[in-house]
Amino acid sequence: MRLKEFLNTEFVVVRLSSTDVEGVVSEVATRAAEAGVGNAEAVRDKLLERERQHPTVMGAGLAIPHATVPGLTTPSLGVALTDPGVAFGGEDHDPVHAFFVLLSPPGHEREHVKLLARICRLARHADFLDQLLAADDGAGVVSVLLSIDDQHV
């Protein structure tokens, strides 16, 4: 399973303006709607619900906000970046600079879990975060992500 099968190139935010969890989630939800992924309010509500239950911060500057959202037809992956980082998941964690946002319709749990595992695997790649943050635009972010995805089995 490759991320390129689910990566929505229009669902990329190169520089988030928000500095807190609710702001980041709202900004990402708006971009998801603009990219045709789903309804902004539904996406925001489901992502915030998930964050309240169990924060999705992974450490090392990465978070993977994810949710099952009714009304979607297929899983969709987006990326959002910020520098400086955002306190996401509590003060016990390093600031987050990269958000991989995974949205799936009900009934696609198997794909959802496989995609989460794939993202985690790629995040261990040397210089992954630095390469993403160095991208100038959405196309650059997508290019870095696909290049690293292609290097892993």
Side-chain angles (χ1 to χ4, degrees), residues 122-134 144 148:
L122 297 182
R124 293 190 307 241
H125 185 86
D127 299 325
F128 181 63
L129 184 58
D130 291 337
Q131 289 181 45
L132 285 173
L133 291 174
V144 167
I148 292 172

Side-chain angles (χ1 to χ4, degrees), residues 39-125:
N39 173 279
E41 186 175 332
V43 168
R44 184 189 70 240
D45 290 350
K46 289 297 184 179
L47 286 173
L48 285 174
E49 179 183 316
R50 175 69 173 96
E51 290 303 321
R52 288 182 189 117
Q53 290 174 354
H54 187 73
T56 59
V57 63
M58 302 300 292
L62 175 69
I64 310 175
H66 59 279
T68 299
V69 182
L72 302 183
T73 57
T74 185
S76 185
L77 177 64
V79 181
L81 304 173
T82 186
D83 196 19
V86 173
F88 201 87
E91 295 186 18
D92 296 344
H93 299 281
D94 294 333
V96 173
H97 296 274
F99 299 87
F100 287 86
V101 185
L102 178 58
L103 305 172
S104 297
H108 287 255
E109 291 78 11
R110 184 178 170 141
E111 284 174 310
H112 190 89
V113 170
K114 284 184 174 185
L115 286 166
L116 289 172
R118 181 78 180 167
I119 294 164
C120 290
R121 197 171 312 119
L122 297 182
R124 293 190 307 241
H125 185 86

